[in-house]
Every structure is written in C-alpha cells, then in structure tokens.
Amino acid sequence: MAGLSRWFISSPVPASDQPPYVNGVTLVIFQGAVDPAALLFQLMAIEAACGRQRSVPNAARTLDLDLIAMEGPDGPVIRSAPDPILPHPRAHLRAFVLAPLADVAPDWRHPVLGRDVKDLLKDVADQDVRPL
C-alpha cells in the first residue's frame, strides 16, 4: 500500500502570524534496508533544493519534509536518539499531520502510545485543519 493524501490547509502550530500552511502525507514503501538518518538527510537535501533556509525554530518555510513513522521487517521503528526520533515526537499532537495520515493509513496505530490515528485526531479536534 502506498499513496498520497488529500491536501489540507491549516493554521501554523504553534500559533503565529504566519500565513496558513498546506500539508499532506505520502506513504512510501521501500524494499530493503533503509537507514532513517540517511533518509532524513535526503529529505533535507530536497528541502534545500526547493529554497528552504533554516533560521529559527518554527520559522515560515517553503517546504518541510518530515519522517512521521517507519516500519521495518520486525515492526515499527522506535528511536529516541539520534535524529530522526521515531515516531515523530509531536506528530500525535498535530491535526495537520494526523488528518492527512488518516487519508493514507486509516488503520495506523502510534507504536508508542498504542492509539489509532482516528482516536488521536479526537484530541486535536480544536486545531484548524481542513481539506483544501
């Protein structure tokens, strides 16, 4: 199973005077071993090629590519260090991640919290996120 979610528009998190963001999730299936750190490095290279400049945390950006979760042959990849931390340490707190994730992986379960994506979405129902 692989796929691309619908696009969602959301207010910045944390709240700021930045314009709304457009968010989506792509579910990718790899064959063979994939090193999370090497994959994150490649995602950051794509961001840079698209004009992303890293200044201060939570600054407006042209593109932000994150690893939300990974699964290996033995099950979910759980990493507390080094980067990337997996699953993403704030994914379960952000409707702009969970809503598109529910599009492509409606049965996804947070490997640490043990809660499914639809249940996690209930906790962030007050966040402004809607299909574009």
Side-chain angles (χ1 to χ4, degrees), residues 77-130:
V77 175
I78 299 173
R79 292 169 49 120
S80 56
D83 279 343
I85 297 170
L86 293 171
H88 189 288
R90 292 173 300 283
H92 67 285
L93 303 173
R94 296 176 167 170
F96 68 81
V97 172
L98 297 172
L101 180 59
D103 265 7
V104 294
D107 297 324
W108 183 77
R109 184 169 290 278
H110 193 288
V112 175
L113 301 176
R115 296 174 61 197
D116 68 48
V117 66
K118 291 176 185 170
D119 188 41
L120 292 168
L121 265 169
K122 293 175 188 173
D123 292 346
V124 294
D126 61 330
Q127 293 179 20
D128 178 30
V129 63
R130 60 194 180 283

Coordinates of all heavy atoms in Angstrom, one line a residue, residues 77-130:
V77 N 9.7 1.1 13.8 CA 11.0 1.5 14.2 C 10.8 2.6 15.3 O 10.0 3.6 15.1 CB 11.7 2.2 13.0 CG1 13.1 2.8 13.4 CG2 11.9 1.1 11.9
I78 N 11.3 2.4 16.4 CA 11.2 3.3 17.6 C 12.6 3.8 17.9 O 13.5 2.9 18.2 CB 10.5 2.6 18.8 CG1 9.1 2.2 18.4 CG2 10.5 3.6 20.0 CD1 8.3 1.4 19.4
R79 N 12.8 5.1 17.8 CA 14.1 5.7 18.1 C 13.9 6.9 19.0 O 13.2 7.8 18.6 CB 14.8 6.1 16.8 CG 15.2 5.1 15.9 CD 15.7 5.6 14.5 NE 16.6 6.7 14.5 CZ 17.8 6.7 14.0 NH1 18.2 5.7 13.3 NH2 18.5 7.8 14.0
S80 N 14.7 7.0 20.1 CA 14.6 8.2 20.9 C 15.8 9.1 20.6 O 15.8 10.2 21.0 CB 14.6 7.8 22.4 OG 15.7 7.0 22.7
A81 N 16.8 8.5 19.9 CA 18.0 9.3 19.5 C 18.8 8.3 18.7 O 18.7 7.1 18.8 CB 18.8 9.7 20.7
P82 N 19.7 8.8 17.8 CA 19.8 10.2 17.3 C 18.7 10.5 16.4 O 17.8 9.7 16.1 CB 21.2 10.1 16.6 CG 21.2 8.7 16.1 CD 20.6 7.9 17.1
D83 N 18.7 11.7 15.8 CA 17.7 12.1 14.8 C 17.8 11.2 13.6 O 18.9 10.8 13.2 CB 18.0 13.6 14.4 CG 17.4 14.6 15.4 OD1 16.6 14.2 16.2 OD2 17.8 15.8 15.3
P84 N 16.6 10.9 13.1 CA 15.3 11.3 13.5 C 14.7 10.5 14.6 O 14.9 9.3 14.7 CB 14.5 11.1 12.2 CG 15.1 9.9 11.6 CD 16.6 10.1 11.9
I85 N 14.0 11.2 15.5 CA 13.3 10.5 16.5 C 12.1 9.9 15.9 O 11.4 10.6 15.1 CB 12.9 11.4 17.7 CG1 14.2 12.0 18.3 CG2 12.0 10.8 18.7 CD1 14.0 13.1 19.3
L86 N 11.8 8.6 16.1 CA 10.7 7.9 15.5 C 9.9 7.2 16.6 O 10.5 6.5 17.4 CB 11.1 7.0 14.4 CG 11.8 7.6 13.2 CD1 12.4 6.6 12.3 CD2 10.7 8.4 12.4
P87 N 8.6 7.2 16.5 CA 7.8 8.1 15.6 C 8.1 9.6 16.0 O 8.6 9.9 17.0 CB 6.3 7.7 15.9 CG 6.3 7.2 17.3 CD 7.7 6.5 17.4
H88 N 7.7 10.4 15.0 CA 8.0 11.9 15.2 C 7.4 12.3 16.5 O 6.2 12.0 16.9 CB 7.3 12.7 14.1 CG 7.6 14.1 14.0 ND1 7.2 15.0 15.0 CD2 8.4 14.8 13.2 CE1 7.7 16.2 14.7 NE2 8.4 16.1 13.6
P89 N 8.2 13.0 17.4 CA 7.8 13.2 18.8 C 6.5 14.1 18.9 O 5.9 14.1 20.0 CB 9.0 13.9 19.4 CG 9.8 14.4 18.2 CD 9.5 13.5 17.1
R90 N 6.1 14.9 17.9 CA 5.0 15.8 18.0 C 3.9 15.4 17.0 O 2.8 16.1 17.0 CB 5.4 17.2 17.8 CG 6.3 17.7 19.0 CD 6.9 19.1 18.8 NE 7.7 19.2 17.6 CZ 8.9 18.8 17.4 NH1 9.5 18.2 18.5 NH2 9.6 18.9 16.3
A91 N 4.0 14.4 16.3 CA 3.0 14.0 15.3 C 1.6 13.8 15.9 O 0.6 14.3 15.3 CB 3.4 12.8 14.5
H92 N 1.6 13.2 17.0 CA 0.3 12.9 17.6 C -0.4 14.1 18.2 O -1.6 14.1 18.6 CB 0.5 11.8 18.7 CG 1.3 12.3 19.9 ND1 2.6 12.4 19.9 CD2 0.9 12.6 21.1 CE1 3.1 12.8 21.0 NE2 2.0 13.0 21.8
L93 N 0.3 15.2 18.2 CA -0.2 16.5 18.8 C -0.7 17.5 17.7 O -1.1 18.6 18.0 CB 0.8 17.2 19.6 CG 1.4 16.4 20.8 CD1 2.6 17.1 21.5 CD2 0.3 16.1 21.8
R94 N -0.6 17.1 16.4 CA -0.8 18.0 15.3 C -1.8 17.4 14.3 O -1.6 16.5 13.6 CB 0.5 18.2 14.6 CG 1.5 18.9 15.5 CD 2.8 19.1 14.9 NE 3.6 20.1 15.7 CZ 4.9 20.3 15.5 NH1 5.5 19.7 14.6 NH2 5.5 21.2 16.3
A95 N -2.9 18.1 14.3 CA -4.0 17.7 13.4 C -3.5 17.8 11.9 O -3.9 17.0 11.1 CB -5.2 18.6 13.5
F96 N -2.6 18.7 11.6 CA -2.1 18.9 10.2 C -1.3 17.7 9.8 O -1.1 17.5 8.6 CB -1.4 20.2 10.0 CG -0.1 20.3 10.7 CD1 1.1 19.8 10.2 CD2 0.0 21.1 11.9 CE1 2.3 19.9 10.8 CE2 1.2 21.2 12.5 CZ 2.4 20.7 12.0
V97 N -0.8 16.8 10.7 CA -0.2 15.6 10.4 C -1.2 14.5 10.4 O -1.2 13.6 9.5 CB 0.9 15.3 11.4 CG1 1.5 13.9 11.2 CG2 2.0 16.3 11.4
L98 N -2.0 14.4 11.4 CA -2.9 13.3 11.6 C -4.0 13.2 10.6 O -4.4 12.1 10.1 CB -3.6 13.3 13.0 CG -2.6 13.2 14.2 CD1 -3.2 13.5 15.5 CD2 -1.9 11.8 14.2
A99 N -4.6 14.4 10.2 CA -5.7 14.3 9.2 C -5.2 13.7 7.9 O -5.9 12.8 7.3 CB -6.3 15.7 9.0
P100 N -4.1 14.2 7.3 CA -3.7 13.6 6.0 C -3.2 12.1 6.3 O -3.3 11.3 5.4 CB -2.6 14.5 5.5 CG -2.2 15.4 6.6 CD -3.4 15.4 7.6
L101 N -2.6 11.9 7.4 CA -2.2 10.5 7.7 C -3.3 9.5 7.7 O -3.3 8.4 7.2 CB -1.4 10.4 9.1 CG -0.9 9.1 9.5 CD1 0.1 8.5 8.5 CD2 -0.3 9.2 10.9
A102 N -4.5 10.0 8.2 CA -5.7 9.2 8.3 C -6.2 8.9 6.8 O -6.8 7.8 6.6 CB -6.8 9.8 9.1
D103 N -5.9 9.8 5.9 CA -6.2 9.6 4.5 C -5.5 8.3 3.9 O -6.1 7.6 3.2 CB -5.9 10.8 3.6 CG -7.0 11.7 3.4 OD1 -8.1 11.6 4.0 OD2 -6.8 12.7 2.6
V104 N -4.2 8.3 4.2 CA -3.4 7.2 3.5 C -3.2 6.0 4.4 O -2.9 4.9 3.8 CB -2.0 7.8 3.1 CG1 -2.2 8.8 2.0 CG2 -1.2 8.3 4.2
A105 N -3.4 6.1 5.7 CA -3.2 5.0 6.6 C -4.2 5.0 7.7 O -3.9 5.2 8.8 CB -1.8 5.0 7.1
P106 N -5.5 4.8 7.3 CA -6.6 4.9 8.3 C -6.5 3.9 9.5 O -7.1 4.2 10.5 CB -7.9 4.7 7.5 CG -7.4 4.0 6.3 CD -6.0 4.4 6.0
D107 N -5.7 2.9 9.3 CA -5.6 1.9 10.4 C -4.3 2.1 11.1 O -3.9 1.2 12.0 CB -5.6 0.5 9.8 CG -7.0 0.2 9.2 OD1 -8.0 0.7 9.7 OD2 -7.0 -0.5 8.2
W108 N -3.5 3.1 10.9 CA -2.2 3.3 11.5 C -2.4 3.5 13.0 O -3.3 4.2 13.5 CB -1.5 4.6 11.0 CG -0.2 4.8 11.5 CD1 1.0 4.2 11.2 CD2 0.2 5.8 12.5 NE1 2.0 4.6 12.0 CE2 1.6 5.6 12.8 CE3 -0.5 6.7 13.3 CZ2 2.3 6.4 13.7 CZ3 0.1 7.5 14.2 CH2 1.5 7.3 14.4
R109 N -1.5 2.9 13.7 CA -1.5 2.9 15.2 C -0.2 3.5 15.7 O 0.8 3.0 15.2 CB -1.8 1.5 15.8 CG -1.9 1.5 17.3 CD -2.4 0.1 17.7 NE -3.8 -0.1 17.4 CZ -4.8 0.3 18.0 NH1 -4.7 1.1 19.1 NH2 -6.1 0.1 17.6
H110 N -0.2 4.5 16.5 CA 1.0 5.0 17.1 C 1.7 3.9 17.8 O 1.2 3.3 18.8 CB 0.7 6.2 18.0 CG 1.8 7.0 18.4 ND1 2.8 6.6 19.2 CD2 2.2 8.3 18.0 CE1 3.7 7.5 19.4 NE2 3.4 8.6 18.6
P111 N 3.0 3.6 17.5 CA 3.6 2.4 18.0 C 4.0 2.6 19.5 O 4.3 1.6 20.2 CB 4.9 2.3 17.2 CG 5.1 3.6 16.5 CD 3.8 4.2 16.4
V112 N 4.1 3.8 20.0 CA 4.4 4.0 21.4 C 3.2 4.2 22.2 O 3.0 3.6 23.3 CB 5.4 5.2 21.6 CG1 5.6 5.5 23.1 CG2 6.7 5.0 20.8
L113 N 2.2 5.0 21.8 CA 1.0 5.3 22.5 C 0.0 4.2 22.4 O -0.9 4.1 23.2 CB 0.4 6.6 22.0 CG 1.3 7.9 22.2 CD1 0.7 9.1 21.6 CD2 1.7 8.1 23.6
G114 N 0.1 3.4 21.3 CA -0.9 2.3 21.1 C -2.3 2.8 20.7 O -3.2 2.0 20.7
R115 N -2.4 4.0 20.2 CA -3.7 4.6 19.8 C -3.7 4.7 18.3 O -2.7 5.1 17.7 CB -3.9 5.9 20.5 CG -4.0 5.8 22.0 CD -4.1 7.2 22.7 NE -5.3 7.9 22.3 CZ -5.4 9.2 22.5 NH1 -4.4 9.9 23.0 NH2 -6.5 9.8 22.1
D116 N -4.9 4.5 17.7 CA -5.0 4.7 16.3 C -5.2 6.1 15.9 O -5.5 7.0 16.7 CB -6.1 3.8 15.7 CG -7.5 4.2 16.1 OD1 -7.8 5.4 16.0 OD2 -8.3 3.3 16.4
V117 N -4.9 6.4 14.6 CA -4.9 7.8 14.1 C -6.2 8.5 14.3 O -6.3 9.7 14.6 CB -4.4 7.8 12.6 CG1 -5.4 7.1 11.7 CG2 -4.1 9.2 12.2
K118 N -7.3 7.7 14.1 CA -8.7 8.4 14.3 C -8.9 8.8 15.7 O -9.5 9.8 16.0 CB -9.7 7.4 13.8 CG -9.7 7.3 12.3 CD -10.7 6.3 11.7 CE -10.5 6.1 10.3 NZ -11.2 5.0 9.7
D119 N -8.4 8.0 16.7 CA -8.6 8.3 18.1 C -7.7 9.5 18.4 O -8.1 10.4 19.1 CB -8.2 7.1 18.9 CG -8.5 7.3 20.4 OD1 -9.5 7.9 20.7 OD2 -7.6 6.9 21.2
L120 N -6.5 9.6 17.9 CA -5.6 10.7 18.1 C -6.1 12.0 17.6 O -6.0 13.0 18.2 CB -4.2 10.4 17.5 CG -3.4 9.3 18.2 CD1 -2.2 8.9 17.4 CD2 -3.0 9.7 19.6
L121 N -6.8 11.9 16.5 CA -7.4 13.1 15.9 C -8.5 13.7 16.8 O -8.6 15.0 16.8 CB -8.1 12.7 14.5 CG -7.3 13.0 13.3 CD1 -7.9 12.3 12.1 CD2 -7.0 14.4 13.1
K122 N -9.1 12.9 17.6 CA -10.1 13.5 18.5 C -9.5 14.5 19.5 O -10.1 15.4 20.0 CB -10.8 12.4 19.3 CG -11.7 11.5 18.4 CD -12.3 10.3 19.2 CE -13.0 9.4 18.3 NZ -13.4 8.1 19.0
D123 N -8.2 14.2 19.9 CA -7.5 15.0 20.9 C -7.1 16.4 20.3 O -6.8 17.3 21.1 CB -6.2 14.3 21.3 CG -6.5 13.1 22.2 OD1 -7.6 12.9 22.6 OD2 -5.5 12.3 22.4
V124 N -7.1 16.5 19.0 CA -6.7 17.8 18.3 C -7.8 18.4 17.5 O -7.6 19.2 16.6 CB -5.4 17.6 17.5 CG1 -4.2 17.2 18.4 CG2 -5.6 16.5 16.4
A125 N -9.0 18.0 17.8 CA -10.2 18.5 17.1 C -10.3 20.0 17.1 O -11.0 20.5 16.2 CB -11.5 17.8 17.6
D126 N -9.7 20.7 18.0 CA -9.8 22.1 18.1 C -8.8 22.8 17.2 O -8.9 24.0 17.1 CB -9.6 22.6 19.6 CG -8.3 22.2 20.1 OD1 -7.7 21.2 19.7 OD2 -7.8 22.9 21.0
Q127 N -7.9 22.1 16.6 CA -6.9 22.7 15.7 C -7.6 22.9 14.3 O -8.3 22.1 13.8 CB -5.7 21.8 15.6 CG -4.9 21.8 16.9 CD -3.7 20.9 16.8 OE1 -3.2 20.6 15.7 NE2 -3.2 20.4 17.9
D128 N -7.2 24.0 13.7 CA -7.8 24.4 12.4 C -7.1 23.7 11.3 O -6.0 24.1 10.9 CB -7.6 25.9 12.2 CG -8.2 26.4 10.9 OD1 -9.1 25.8 10.4 OD2 -7.6 27.4 10.4
V129 N -7.7 22.6 10.8 CA -7.2 21.9 9.6 C -8.4 21.4 8.8 O -9.4 20.9 9.4 CB -6.3 20.7 10.1 CG1 -7.0 19.7 10.9 CG2 -5.7 20.1 8.9
R130 N -8.3 21.6 7.5 CA -9.5 21.2 6.7 C -8.9 20.9 5.3 O -7.9 21.4 4.8 CB -10.5 22.3 6.6 CG -10.1 23.6 6.1 CD -11.1 24.7 6.3 NE -10.6 26.0 5.8 CZ -9.7 26.8 6.4 NH1 -9.1 26.4 7.4 NH2 -9.3 27.9 5.8

